[in-house]
Amino acid sequence: MVSERQQQQQAAAAGKVAAFNLAEYGFGDQADLLDDDGRERRTGNLVTASAHIITAVIGSGVLSLAWAIAQLGWVIGPVVLLAFSATTWFCSSLLADCYRAPDPVHGKRNYTYGQAVRAYLGVSKYRLCSLAQYVNLVGVTIGYTITTAISMGAIKRSNCFHSKGHGADCEASNTTNMIIFAGIQILLSQLPNFHKLWWLSIVAAVMSLAYSSIGLGLSIAKIAGGVHVKTSLTGAAVGVDVTATEKIWKTFQSLGDIAFAYSYSNVLIEIQDTLRSSPPENVVMKKASFIGVSTTTTFYMLCGVLGYAAFGNDAPGNFLTGFGFYDPFWLIDVGNVCIAVHLIGAYQVFCQPIYQFVEAWARSRWPDAAFLHAEHTVAGFSISPFRLVWRTAYVVVTALVAMVFPFFNDFLGLIGAVSFWPLTVYFPIQMYMAQAKTRRFSPAWTWMNVLSYACLFISLLAAAGSVQGLVKDLKGYKPFEVS
């Protein structure tokens, strides 16, 4: 059987031959349609890459930052947020150089994060990376299903509180909203590949900035209104707001929530694979990473700090759906609509690599199966029976899991804790050191390993806090109950 690396080499050779033959026979325009690997010429640029990154980074994580800062306090909270931001940007810059191997500008392309790991670190590390990456991608899509359903329900609750009063019993069915969300995703999932979704990412990026700005504006308005809330340098007070045990677990969980807010490295290679080859992809991707991470950190800092100033130690887990705000109700509705639209797009950003991995594996495993390769054109759209069945099944399964575990903060914290160290820190550092041939025990080798192990320790603490929160939430919960 031909290995994936051999397939890459054959594709690149075929592309060069095809381009040469087309140019030789006077079809220069057709030759320009192919990249150096024989694939359709990529058209992505700094704007589209930045939009993809902002879409992937600013998600449901921003909604829990006020709560996270409330657990950590005025000193540790902002410091931790900035530390995660700097670490994410630094490691993303290292990863951008690993899109091609062995040379970051002229080497062979790696189409996925896993391929980059295999090119630099070998098959065993590739398998570990693939496991971590796809577990994280599945977890993120489940988390986005939960968050979107909660935001859709918050619109109904907001209108109910407006008409019946803030003390009314206003509940909404998350199960019904998850079914609606799943139906939308089934339709969007039929688009063949990541390149077709550039418009969705730009719309989603605008939505993310919109609801972050709404939350920020509402926090400023509440502070300006003279609200008096309890805050402190160390966050929620032991013996007043929480017990000593709860303080420890919630502190750990808040680290996971912040880590989740910066989880996008696992799709960076896929985003970079949409870029045109001139200027060099790694140069453009580093600029896009800086724009994306700095933009999101600005919003994160403002939303987290001002959200804590507005709500104090009683900050809700989600400040647009936990009803820290009731009025103006229409603006809260707009904010939650923006969240839903954004996460509809972000879901696709994270699930497309899963789709492409499974489909490529199935077609290579059964190359003669007509069902796997069939394509039909319906009303101008390309429909694949295999894509229809497999992608629909995936969306349904993630929706079912979300219905069983609809716990916003705990689930997001667990995803962030599990994925941050291996995907954002460990593999990018190891690949960079392999590419740069960094000597063992040299200053660069030493401080990069110190950073890696420090992040591992933080991730383990965050995972422990999130698991404890999930166990606590599951007690007495009845899944699929329609309220």
Side-chain angles (χ1 to χ4, degrees):
M1 180 178 293
V2 179
S3 69
E4 192 170 358
R5 177 174 292 279
Q6 289 173 321
Q7 290 174 353
Q8 278 187 296
Q9 293 171 344
Q10 291 170 0
K16 292 177 182 177
V17 170
F20 174 79
N21 288 339
L22 286 169
E24 181 182 14
Y25 290 102
F27 296 100
D29 292 340
Q30 285 85 343
D32 290 340
L33 298 178
L34 299 177
D35 262 327
D36 57 1
D37 58 349
R39 296 192 176 189
E40 180 181 351
R41 185 167 293 279
R42 296 157 178 84
T43 58
N45 54 38
L46 179 63
V47 174
T48 59
S50 299
H52 276 310
I53 291 171
I54 292 172
T55 300
V57 180
I58 297 184
S60 48
V62 70
L63 304 171
S64 64
L65 290 179
W67 179 87
I69 298 295
Q71 310 313 309
L72 299 171
W74 284 119
V75 178
I76 302 299
V79 169
V80 169
L81 196 61
L82 288 174
F84 272 99
S85 172
T87 302
T88 300
W89 171 76
F90 172 73
C91 293
S92 296
S93 297
L94 300 183
L95 186 57
D97 282 333
C98 300
Y99 170 61
R100 290 179 180 264
D103 183 80
V105 177
H106 303 293
K108 291 184 176 64
R109 297 176 187 267
N110 295 298
Y111 303 120
T112 66
Y113 190 111
Q115 286 181 8
V117 171
R118 181 168 57 185
Y120 284 102
L121 303 178
V123 175
S124 60
K125 293 288 181 67
Y126 161 72
R127 289 171 179 166
L128 291 174
C129 170
S130 295
L131 177 63
Q133 183 185 21
Y134 291 111
V135 166
N136 175 68
L137 290 172
V138 172
V140 169
T141 55
I142 295 170
Y144 283 179
T145 302
I146 295 170
T147 309
T148 306
I150 292 173
S151 291
M152 293 166 68
I155 296 171
K156 179 180 178 181
R157 294 177 65 204
S158 174
N159 294 330
C160 173
F161 286 133
H162 177 70
S163 60
K164 298 181 180 180
H166 298 173
D169 183 16
C170 297
E171 297 296 334
S173 171
N174 286 337
T175 300
T176 301
N177 293 331
M178 288 178 188
I179 293 172
I180 295 171
F181 179 78
I184 295 171
Q185 293 302 334
I186 288 171
L187 293 176
L188 289 175
S189 293
Q190 303 316 310
L191 292 173
N193 58 54
F194 203 50
H195 306 279
K196 305 292 183 182
L197 296 173
W198 63 269
W199 59 271
L200 190 61
S201 282
I202 291 177
V203 171
V206 172
M207 293 297 102
S208 67
L209 293 176
Y211 71 72
S212 298
S213 299
I214 289 172
L216 179 61
L218 290 171
S219 296
I220 293 173
K222 189 166 185 177
I223 295 169
V227 62
H228 297 288
V229 295
K230 184 178 180 180
T231 64
S232 71
L233 296 178
T234 57
V238 175
V240 179
D241 304 305
V242 291
T243 65
T245 302
E246 287 175 337
K247 176 68 174 180
I248 294 172
W249 288 123
K250 288 186 176 183
T251 296
F252 292 166
Q253 185 184 330
S254 67
L255 298 176
D257 282 358
I258 295 174
F260 177 82
Y262 282 104
S263 63
Y264 89 101
S265 294
N266 52 337
V267 294
L268 187 146
I269 295 294
E270 282 83 353
I271 293 173
Q272 193 164 343
D273 191 45
T274 67
L275 293 173
R276 59 172 66 105
S277 56
S278 180
E281 301 94 347
N282 64 325
V283 174
V284 175
M285 199 64 195
K286 288 178 182 180
K287 292 179 181 178
S289 293
F290 179 78
I291 292 171
V293 174
S294 59
T295 300
T296 55
T297 299
T298 300
F299 274 97
Y300 283 0
M301 187 63 71
L302 290 172
C303 290
V305 170
L306 294 180
Y308 181 43
F311 299 111
N313 294 338
D314 294 325
N318 181 330
F319 73 167
L320 281 180
T321 63
F323 287 89
F325 302 112
Y326 288 94
D327 293 301
F329 80 99
W330 61 268
L331 187 58
I332 297 168
D333 289 351
V334 170
N336 281 298
V337 167
C338 290
I339 292 172
V341 173
H342 169 243
L343 295 187
I344 286 171
Y347 184 102
Q348 287 297 315
V349 169
F350 280 90
C351 72
Q352 283 291 325
I354 302 173
Y355 294 159
Q356 292 167 14
F357 169 76
V358 172
E359 288 160 18
W361 173 83
R363 286 167 181 155
S364 65
R365 179 68 177 80
W366 297 284
D368 299 323
F371 174 74
L372 299 180
H373 297 272
E375 292 279 348
H376 304 287
T377 302
V378 179
F381 292 95
S382 178
I383 302 296
S384 163
F386 173 49
R387 194 162 57 239
L388 179 63
V389 173
W390 140 244
R391 296 188 180 190
T392 298
Y394 176 84
V395 173
V396 170
V397 170
T398 56
L400 288 174
V401 175
M403 293 174 192
V404 175
F405 301 101
F407 310 118
F408 177 77
N409 286 85
D410 300 324
F411 199 89
L412 267 58
L414 181 60
I415 297 168
V418 169
S419 64
F420 182 77
W421 175 72
L423 297 175
T424 301
V425 180
Y426 175 75
F427 286 116
I429 284 177
Q430 293 298 316
M431 284 190 286
Y432 174 80
M433 290 196 296
Q435 183 188 71
K437 296 180 173 58
T438 305
R439 291 183 298 103
R440 288 175 63 85
F441 304 111
S442 66
W445 183 93
T446 301
W447 81 262
M448 283 192 180
N449 277 283
V450 168
L451 173 64
S452 180
Y453 283 113
C455 290
L456 172 60
F457 179 70
I458 291 171
S459 293
L460 291 174
L461 294 180
S466 298
V467 169
Q468 189 274 341
L470 277 174
V471 171
K472 183 178 179 181
D473 287 340
L474 279 171
K475 294 180 180 178
Y477 172 70
K478 297 178 180 180
F480 306 107
E481 184 177 52
V482 178
S483 55

